[in-house]
Amino acid sequence: MSDVITNSLLVLIRERGMADVQDLEAVQGEHNLSGDPVSALLAKDGLVDVPTQLELIAEYLGTDVLDLSEIEFTDELVDLMPLDMAKQYQCVPIGLDGEVMHLSMVDPLNPTVLDELAYQLKRPLQVRVAAPKQIIDILEKKYSGEASFDDLIEELGGYHLPEEEVDDGEVKSLEILEEVGDDMPIVRFVNMVLYQSLKDSASDIHFEPFEDTYQIRMKVDGTMKLLTPPPRELAQAISSRLKIMANLNIAERRLPQDGRIATIIAGEELVFRMSTLPTQFGESVVLRLLDKNNTDILSLDVLKIPDNVHKSIIHCVEQPNGVFLVTGPTGSGKTTTLYAALRRLNKIGVKIITAEDPVEFPVEGIVQCQIQETMGMTFAKALKSFLRQDPDIILVGETRDLETASITIEAALTGHLVVTTLHTNSSTEAITRLMDMGVEPFLIASSINGALAQRLVKTICPKCIVSTPITKDQREMLQISDEEAEGKEIKYGTGCDACNNSGYKGRCGLYEMLQMSDEIRELIANKVPALVLREKAIEFGMQTLRMDGLRVMFSGESTFEEVMKFT
């Protein structure tokens, strides 16, 4: 499936017939992979030069094109927009015309940004088109200071909830709760937290109330990082702001809630999955970053899966029927792998239905169903309905119980391909887990195409990577011989500014693939113990997670500590 054109400028160029659709799809794909601006990529590829792009945008918006080099950006002009706001929305003020602020934006075709800015600045806005490079240069020169949490927390220090509306730390009135959730200091602080999470490539943000503190932490490369905390009394105002953004019930504080936040950060449209949980000292809120552009770039090739595992996965998912299992703990990238497999299969002639809890990535061409246990919409009930929808491929977000497992296998045996996840530690344990649920071994043997176990390990920061000889103790802990370790070095990061002195930057996957063969199927049907099944699978050529860990360790991608921790 080719990259879908989602960028507003590319859509406009396509509608005007100014470039070939395949060329525009290639630009969209390159932008998704590299993050380079679409405007620059169009010019670099010789499709549409920057002046023509600007004239096209100005004509579409009914405005004009400005040369920002002719404007004097005085301190008074720069001060019209707070530093954190200018950086978050990638825009600069040009001037005032009465109450109307004129401004230029890197992405002037995004109406959501303009609406949010107008709301936060409390004034009408007029867009004037300018070259993105000029805007970014001005942001770097005139807005070069780093908006910090300390600055905003200092601002929050002077902000207080209305005393007459607060009883024992809780806001009594729903109307006041809505008002404080929309107050500018709270809005700017929450936006700053989201902006910081994007800068640090965080996967999750945790807002955690305790008796005397309100803790905010971000998970970066699998490790929690503590941010400067805001005043404890503002916990309810901050959680109310997040609920407003996610369209949740701000009055409900006794029951958990789930929602989604879609917002613009540094010119990128991002989606967060939000979960609230009532605790002893208030509501704990967790946001999981779901980059909406991920669905355009996910492919098995991008995931850097070893060749032998890559071929096995393709073999399993290109079967007309059967079950493909992906196993691993929470946060190990199972959903990403499943979507990568689905992307390969998502074609006009194929009907794909998914049952997910929750739906993380909306994908064009795939029918996606949200599981709602409280409403009686379970995985098992969804699966029963799916079989009457004439699907070719079914994705089950998680196989949790015997009923779901039984219907999954029944679907596979009646001519459907089913891809699903399990929570087990290894690929062979996925088989024994199904047996423990009560699935008959002969059904497992005849329906499973393969089981993939995976983990995510932190990768070494390339800016501060150093080598060291492998020690005897390390060899013994890895259980490798002197011959296997001879001439090999292991690497680690010393820590630098680029990786926040952690020595790590990014993550990569470790994979263990159990592909079915006649011998393996016979062992499963004969109910051999889990240990025997694993030993036989290794004998038949299965690479374990530890073996794949040695691969990434000796290639210098990850460290000895990470491999030991996750394998």
Side-chain angles (χ1 to χ4, degrees):
M1 187 179 76
S2 61
D3 289 300
V4 179
I5 297 175
T6 56
N7 179 271
S8 304
L9 176 57
L10 295 179
V11 170
L12 187 57
I13 291 170
R14 181 186 64 190
E15 288 173 352
R16 299 295 173 91
M18 296 172 66
D20 185 79
V21 173
Q22 285 186 326
D23 291 335
L24 296 178
E25 286 180 349
V27 169
Q28 177 79 65
E30 191 174 350
H31 165 70
N32 290 339
L33 284 168
S34 67
D36 293 342
V38 165
S39 175
L41 292 172
L42 283 166
K44 183 192 81 173
D45 293 348
L47 298 176
V48 184
D49 61 34
V50 173
T52 306
Q53 294 173 34
L54 300 181
E55 291 294 343
L56 177 65
I57 295 168
E59 178 199 340
Y60 179 78
L61 295 175
T63 184
D64 59 346
V65 179
L66 288 180
D67 181 355
L68 297 188
S69 64
E70 297 176 358
I71 294 176
E72 184 184 355
F73 282 85
T74 61
D75 290 344
E76 292 76 18
L77 184 57
V78 170
D79 287 344
L80 288 174
M81 187 174 292
L83 167 63
D84 54 294
M85 198 179 293
K87 288 195 165 187
Q88 180 186 345
Y89 294 104
Q90 299 277 281
C91 58
V92 292
I94 303 302
L96 284 177
D97 181 7
E99 274 299 299
V100 180
M101 178 189 288
H102 291 240
L103 78 168
S104 288
M105 304 159 57
V106 168
D107 186 9
L109 291 170
N110 193 325
T112 310
V113 173
L114 203 60
D115 290 344
E116 288 196 20
L117 277 168
Y119 168 75
Q120 292 191 40
L121 291 167
K122 301 285 191 273
R123 62 165 78 236
L125 303 176
Q126 173 63 50
V127 176
R128 312 284 293 278
V129 177
K133 188 175 185 310
Q134 286 189 329
I135 298 170
I136 290 166
D137 286 345
I138 290 160
L139 283 170
E140 288 176 353
K141 289 173 187 172
K142 297 294 181 178
Y143 292 85
S144 56
E146 189 64 34
S148 68
F149 282 101
D150 295 335
D151 297 334
L152 286 179
I153 283 168
E154 190 174 330
E155 183 181 324
L156 283 177
Y159 174 83
H160 299 285
L161 300 175
E163 288 184 18
E164 67 279 5
E165 295 290 344
V166 178
D167 181 20
D168 196 24
E170 294 286 312
V171 178
K172 295 181 289 185
S173 160
L174 180 61
E175 290 76 16
I176 296 298
L177 205 54
E178 289 176 341
E179 284 179 22
V180 298
D182 279 337
D183 278 352
M184 193 46 56
I186 301 296
V187 170
R188 287 183 60 201
F189 179 76
V190 169
N191 285 346
M192 184 63 182
V193 173
L194 301 185
Y195 174 65
Q196 189 69 35
S197 75
L198 179 68
K199 267 181 56 180
D200 290 352
S201 301
S203 59
D204 302 85
I205 314 169
H206 296 246
F207 299 81
E208 302 164 323
F210 296 99
E211 187 171 11
D212 301 315
T213 61
Y214 187 52
Q215 184 171 273
I216 299 178
R217 297 189 292 171
M218 295 191 310
K219 185 174 280 188
V220 180
D221 295 335
T223 302
M224 287 291 203
K225 170 186 173 185
L226 185 65
L227 304 182
T228 308
R232 171 66 182 85
E233 65 176 65
L234 299 183
Q236 198 179 350
I238 290 169
S239 63
S240 294
R241 174 61 195 159
L242 292 166
K243 284 182 179 179
I244 289 169
M245 294 175 76
N247 293 316
L248 296 180
N249 181 359
I250 63 172
E252 180 56 77
R253 300 194 291 273
R254 295 166 300 173
L255 294 173
Q257 296 186 71
D258 293 300
R260 292 166 72 87
I261 294 174
T263 187
I264 309 293
I265 300 177
E268 293 289 328
E269 191 172 345
L270 299 179
V271 178
F272 295 87
R273 185 179 80 210
M274 175 168 160
S275 169
T276 73
L277 180 70
T279 71
Q280 184 181 2
F281 299 111
E283 280 185 298
S284 170
V285 179
V286 177
L287 303 183
R288 162 67 59 88
L289 176 59
L290 309 170
D291 184 344
K292 78 177 195 71
N293 290 323
N294 274 351
T295 52
D296 293 331
I297 65 169
L298 283 176
S299 76
L300 292 172
D301 301 325
V302 199
L303 297 179
K304 297 181 181 175
I305 298 173
D307 286 344
N308 58 331
V309 176
H310 187 275
K311 287 173 186 170
S312 291
I313 293 172
I314 291 171
H315 174 78
C316 289
V317 299
E318 289 189 344
Q319 299 299 310
N321 57 276
V323 180
F324 175 56
L325 299 166
V326 181
T327 82
T330 302
S332 59
K334 298 187 297 297
T335 305
T336 301
T337 301
L338 285 183
Y339 270 104
L342 284 190
R343 180 184 178 203
R344 185 179 184 89
L345 305 169
N346 188 11
K347 297 169 184 160
I348 289 293
V350 178
K351 170 79 176 250
I352 302 176
I353 306 183
T354 74
E356 303 171 70
D357 183 17
V359 174
E360 295 194 358
F361 304 114
V363 181
E364 190 175 340
I366 296 178
V367 178
Q368 296 170 282
C369 298
Q370 173 83 40
I371 295 303
Q372 308 248 13
E373 300 270 358
T374 54
M375 306 290 289
M377 177 65 162
T378 63
F379 280 110
K381 189 167 282 189
L383 269 171
K384 285 178 182 175
S385 300
F386 284 4
L387 296 177
R388 294 191 289 272
Q389 292 276 317
D390 189 28
D392 298 301
I393 299 166
I394 298 170
L395 180 147
V396 182
E398 185 183 342
T399 299
R400 298 175 179 168
D401 52 49
L402 175 58
E403 188 180 8
T404 307
S406 298
I407 302 168
T408 295
I409 287 174
E410 180 190 332
L413 294 173
T414 53
H416 304 87
L417 176 70
V418 185
V419 293
T420 185
T421 70
L422 275 175
H423 285 282
T424 64
N425 291 323
S426 70
S427 56
T428 49
E429 281 180 40
I431 306 300
T432 52
R433 175 83 179 99
L434 290 174
M435 290 182 187
D436 291 342
M437 284 182 186
V439 181
E440 290 293 339
F442 74 91
L443 290 175
I444 298 171
S446 55
S447 63
I448 304 296
N449 293 343
L452 175 75
Q454 65 181 70
R455 300 287 187 279
L456 286 177
V457 294
K458 290 186 279 192
T459 50
I460 303 168
C461 172
K463 303 274 188 186
C464 59
I465 188 169
V466 295
S467 301
T468 181
I470 188 167
T471 66
K472 183 181 177 184
D473 287 345
Q474 287 170 333
R475 286 201 305 271
E476 289 175 355
M477 291 171 74
L478 290 167
Q479 296 179 326
I480 58 175
S481 65
D482 292 348
E483 291 75 22
E484 288 175 294
E486 189 177 351
K488 301 254 177 74
E489 290 187 318
I490 55 176
K491 299 183 180 179
Y492 64 95
T494 56
C496 63
D497 291 341
C499 60
N500 290 320
N501 292 311
S502 68
Y504 295 103
K505 191 81 171 173
R507 290 192 285 178
C508 69
L510 301 183
Y511 302 94
E512 172 184 294
M513 181 72 189
L514 174 67
Q515 187 173 329
M516 288 295 146
S517 63
D518 290 342
E519 294 87 353
I520 295 289
R521 291 185 197 280
E522 189 177 344
L523 290 169
I524 294 169
N526 290 332
K527 305 183 187 179
V528 300
L531 192 57
V532 175
L533 179 63
R534 185 163 184 79
E535 287 173 353
K536 285 293 183 183
I538 294 168
E539 195 179 303
F540 294 144
M542 182 180 82
Q543 297 281 307
T544 65
L545 285 168
R546 171 59 61 84
M547 292 174 189
D548 204 35
L550 294 176
R551 173 184 66 83
V552 299
M553 186 184 77
F554 287 133
S555 67
E557 289 180 73
S558 194
T559 61
F560 165 79
E561 289 76 15
E562 283 292 289
V563 171
M564 288 301 301
K565 181 178 176 182
F566 289 100
T567 66

